[in-house]
Amino acid sequence: QTSVPRYHKEFHEICLIGKGEFGSVHKCLNRLDGCTYAVKKSLMPVAGSPNERSALNEVWAHAVLGQHPHVVRYYSAWAENGHMIIQNEFCNSGTLEELIRTNQQNNVTVNEPQLKSTLLQIAEGLHYIHSKQLAHMDIKPGNIFICRENIDDCSVHHDSDDGFDELDDDYGSVTYKIGDLGHVTSVVQPIVEEGDCRYLPVEILQENYDNLAKADIFSLGLTIYEMAGGGQLPKNGDEWHAIRQGRLPYNGRYSIELHNLLELMIHPDPTLRPSTQVLTQHPVLGPNGAK
Ligand SMILES: Cn1cc(CCO)c2c3c(c(-c4ccccc4Cl)cc21)C(=O)NC3=O
């Protein structure tokens, strides 16, 4: 049936914020409520294809996950002239991948309190996802979205010279949110569509799905390691295998306690990796974490 196109009727496209084989994402203004959203348009997947499963997973996961401060909020999804459209919360400060790249270019090191805060926030979002018997399965910097309060969205925001402007951290708080739920699967009846191999543990590549929640912990460990200045992660080769033996080169920029926690998160034995429950209570990540 020919439905009146909802996308252009309800939204004004402000700008393109992402493009890939998946489709495109625009920052859009909703004409009715005056709020801005991130709206992803992708070609309608072929019935029965992995893309269709991923598209359905994403909407089912959002429906089950409802609302959490550290999971990107879902508003609506619909089909329109051969496209799947999903309307999500717009996070106004880019992705963690972009922040890591900017820091690298400006030779900026994220300090330990910021690393711990990021790890704790994403662990809280993961704890919520795992509490619903779901696993994300594609945790990586590109899927962590950043929201900063107290920045004037309308003005041209000149990035502070460092990756973190102290002011933002103290007054305009920074919130990290887990996004892109296209790989989410049930922990109890897993149908795994593999995520990015740079962040995947060996057991998943060996199709051992007994500890999917701990696969997310592994990916989170490498994500924070990269944010700490670990440099680009290998996609294969000796370095890739060295990491899978649970060893991370120590760059001396942060405490040995945090380094040991990150190594525990990427332990080859998934059962030895800390759960999100352990992480959110961990003394090293607490307010008086080991100095
Ligand atoms: C490429 N890209 C850039 C952004 C803005 C970051 O400041 C972004 C967002 C999302 C998404 C997204 C990811 C996966 C599925 C659906 C969406 Cl809308 C993609 C995004 C999303 O769900 N919310 C976003 O802010």
Side-chain angles (χ1 to χ4, degrees):
Q1 83 287 1
T2 56
S3 56
V4 175
R6 172 173 162 187
Y7 180 72
H8 287 295
K9 188 162 71 73
E10 291 189 9
F11 296 92
H12 166 70
E13 260 182 14
I14 297 172
C15 61
L16 180 72
I17 50 180
K19 186 136 190 65
E21 74 286 341
F22 59 83
S24 63
V25 182
H26 286 82
K27 177 180 179 180
C28 293
L29 174 72
N30 181 295
R31 302 183 198 279
L32 193 64
D33 67 22
C35 296
T36 53
Y37 296 92
V39 183
K40 183 178 84 168
K41 265 186 292 186
S42 47
L43 273 175
M44 184 70 81
V46 171
S49 69
N51 287 354
E52 183 193 51
R53 165 157 302 283
S54 158
L56 290 173
N57 271 343
E58 186 172 1
V59 177
W60 292 339
H62 275 298
V64 167
L65 289 174
Q67 200 169 333
H68 186 274
H70 299 297
V71 178
V72 168
R73 186 171 164 195
Y74 159 82
Y75 288 87
S76 181
W78 66 96
E80 185 174 308
N81 55 41
H83 285 81
M84 274 281 290
I85 299 178
I86 184 166
Q87 172 197 353
N88 284 347
E89 166 186 7
F90 172 68
C91 302
N92 63 12
S93 297
T95 67
L96 182 57
E97 181 182 35
E98 289 157 357
L99 179 70
I100 291 169
R101 207 179 306 124
T102 307
N103 286 348
Q104 234 162 16
Q105 282 155 4
N106 304 345
N107 206 10
V108 161
T109 304
V110 174
N111 68 40
E112 178 135 343
Q114 283 157 347
L115 280 178
K116 291 176 176 177
S117 163
T118 309
L119 173 48
L120 204 49
Q121 290 190 38
I122 304 170
E124 278 162 14
L126 266 185
H127 185 62
Y128 174 65
I129 294 171
H130 294 170
S131 73
K132 303 281 184 180
Q133 305 299 314
L134 295 172
H136 183 278
M137 301 309 288
D138 199 20
I139 293 294
K140 60 179 181 176
N143 287 339
I144 301 298
F145 298 101
I146 305 173
C147 295
R148 286 188 186 186
E149 285 160 23
N150 300 353
I151 66 172
D152 174 357
D153 275 344
C154 307
S155 71
V156 177
H157 183 67
H158 297 291
D159 275 343
S160 47
D161 49 3
D162 64 1
F164 279 86
D165 164 330
E166 286 320 308
L167 193 62
D168 284 355
D169 234 10
D170 304 342
Y171 305 98
S173 70
V174 183
T175 309
Y176 296 90
K177 299 181 181 245
I178 298 168
D180 194 341
L181 306 187
H183 291 263
V184 168
T185 189
S186 153
V187 173
V188 284
Q189 289 127 357
I191 300 167
V192 172
E193 184 67 27
E194 281 174 8
D196 189 321
C197 67
R198 291 173 293 175
Y199 304 87
L200 276 185
V202 169
E203 76 269 9
I204 297 302
L205 296 168
Q206 293 170 345
E207 301 186 356
N208 171 351
Y209 301 153
D210 300 341
N211 292 283
L212 291 189
K214 295 300 184 74
D216 284 342
I217 299 295
F218 180 95
S219 307
L220 177 54
L222 288 189
T223 294
I224 301 300
Y225 176 70
E226 206 174 339
M227 183 182 181
Q232 289 295 322
L233 290 174
K235 292 187 175 138
N236 47 45
D238 294 347
E239 249 192 283
W240 186 92
H241 284 283
I243 289 173
R244 265 74 189 171
Q245 277 139 37
R247 307 285 307 150
L248 290 171
Y250 179 49
N251 62 16
R253 290 189 196 149
Y254 47 99
S255 69
I256 195 67
E257 290 80 10
L258 181 58
H259 178 77
N260 292 339
L261 179 58
L262 293 180
E263 283 201 334
L264 195 58
M265 291 174 71
I266 66 160
H267 197 288
D269 178 352
T271 62
L272 295 182
R273 296 172 202 153
S275 66
T276 54
Q277 176 70 37
V278 166
L279 282 177
T280 49
Q281 310 293 326
H282 205 282
V284 168
L285 300 180
N288 314 312
K291 289 283 172 280

